[in-house]
Amino acid sequence: MQPLFKADSGTKSTYLRIETLSGLSLNILTILSFCKTPELRTPSHLLVLSLALADTGISLNALVAATSSLLRRWPYGSEGCQAHGFQGFATALASICSSAAIAWGRYHHYCTRSRLDWNTTVSLVLFVWLSSAFWAALPLLGWGHYDYEPLGTCCTLDYSRGDRNFTSFLFTMAFFNFLLPLFITVVSYRLMEQKLGKTSRPPVNTVLPARTLLLGWGPYALLYLYATIADATSLSPKLQMVPALIAKTMPTVNAVNYALGSEMVHRGIWQCLSPQRRERNREQ
């Protein structure tokens, strides 16, 4: 994919800087609250921590893209491009799969007689991250390929070729890392509604997580699917960048949904921001 250095890089840089600041701030606060609040150190909250770490990685990837967009060029060379593509892809997959893990964990926590234990949760988190790293490493080994995105200021999975190599990788990767996590998310929350809705209101939002997963990463899936049946480079660079910019909002959306939307995590963040209140709670 040939880089197209456009004046639009300035607008993209501004957008990415805003999203980077928002995503990093909220997710770093979430991570610090887990470190400093003993009440949050539970198996179920470990899954939320995994998501916050993945989203922090996405925000850091966006920070690199924002810097290069500000420079209107990619200053890190071809090896830097491959590293940037791998890091962004791995953290994106970890974010998607962590959302599905949270959905399953909530179903297990609220709808079964046995609570989540540390061994199960740690194994699940390790599987999410090792699986994400595995799939992100495949383009480095020849199945798929990382290259410059249309404006030439960051690197992502190259969909400009649309050959058999790309198509086989896309459909296999999309099944295991988008469709399957989306299915787990939808089914887990639907079962929660069926089991808990009869006696009480579900303790968590059972609709928003699946919708945000679909709306946040669905445009990327549609772009890649289009690339398998037509020439995606025929689309304008601005249009090709829309899915990436939407996906970069997911760290902020997830932090609001899973951290600020959870009373216990929200309380932990507030205590993290208020040292005096934390000391007062310890004394009590």
Side-chain angles (χ1 to χ4, degrees):
M1 183 182 294
Q2 294 297 321
L4 301 173
F5 300 105
K6 302 280 188 177
D8 300 312
S9 295
T11 303
K12 176 188 172 186
S13 176
T14 301
Y15 180 86
L16 289 175
R17 278 181 287 172
I18 293 173
E19 286 303 323
T20 297
L21 178 62
S22 174
L24 278 179
S25 299
L26 291 175
N27 284 287
I28 288 176
L29 276 176
T30 301
I31 295 170
L32 289 177
S33 70
F34 277 89
C35 296
K36 295 187 176 182
T37 309
E39 294 84 356
L40 293 178
R41 297 169 195 162
T42 65
S44 59
H45 285 125
L46 179 62
L47 299 175
V48 180
L49 176 61
S50 174
L51 178 62
L53 289 170
D55 286 339
T56 299
I58 295 175
S59 295
L60 290 173
N61 186 270
L63 178 61
V64 174
T67 302
S68 60
S69 295
L70 187 63
L71 297 173
R72 299 176 187 248
R73 64 185 180 87
W74 179 256
Y76 308 110
S78 59
E79 292 185 357
C81 177
Q82 297 300 304
H84 184 254
F86 169 81
Q87 190 270 342
F89 199 35
T91 51
L93 296 182
S95 177
I96 294 172
C97 294
S98 291
S99 297
I102 290 173
W104 177 84
R106 286 176 169 177
Y107 166 76
H108 191 279
H109 179 80
Y110 291 110
C111 300
T112 64
R113 295 182 179 180
S114 59
R115 296 294 181 92
L116 276 175
D117 58 66
W118 281 106
N119 289 335
T120 300
T121 308
V122 170
S123 298
L124 183 58
V125 170
L126 287 175
F127 173 79
V128 165
W129 282 94
L130 291 175
S131 173
S132 300
F134 168 77
W135 284 99
L138 290 177
L140 300 177
L141 301 176
W143 198 19
H145 182 65
Y146 294 122
D147 205 344
Y148 298 106
E149 48 82 39
L151 296 181
T153 53
C154 66
C155 294
T156 186
L157 186 66
D158 182 15
Y159 52 85
S160 64
R161 303 182 183 187
D163 54 13
R164 182 176 298 178
N165 179 286
F166 168 77
T167 301
S168 61
F169 175 73
L170 170 68
F171 281 105
T172 308
M173 181 275 301
F175 175 79
F176 286 104
N177 295 286
F178 180 67
L179 295 178
L180 186 58
L182 182 62
F183 175 78
I184 293 172
T185 302
V186 171
V187 170
S188 295
Y189 286 117
R190 185 64 58 86
L191 291 175
M192 283 185 63
E193 287 180 346
Q194 293 176 356
K195 189 171 184 66
L196 301 178
K198 298 178 182 179
T199 57
S200 61
R201 183 179 179 181
V204 296
N205 192 314
T206 58
V207 177
L208 189 59
R211 287 183 178 178
T212 55
L213 195 62
L214 183 60
L215 294 176
W217 299 104
Y220 245 138
L222 289 176
L223 176 62
Y224 287 160
L225 179 61
Y226 180 82
T228 64
I229 59 177
D231 182 10
T233 59
S234 62
L235 302 174
S236 69
K238 286 184 179 180
L239 187 58
Q240 292 181 58
M241 286 307 304
V242 168
L245 295 179
I246 292 175
K248 292 296 189 292
T249 66
M250 290 305 292
T252 300
V253 172
N254 286 337
V256 171
N257 185 19
Y258 292 101
L260 298 181
S262 169
E263 181 180 353
M264 183 174 290
V265 181
H266 182 269
R267 187 164 63 246
I269 293 175
W270 182 247
Q271 291 179 4
C272 185
L273 291 173
S274 306
Q276 293 180 351
R277 181 174 179 177
R278 185 168 65 249
E279 292 298 328
R280 187 164 58 250
N281 290 341
R282 286 178 180 177
E283 294 175 357
Q284 292 177 352

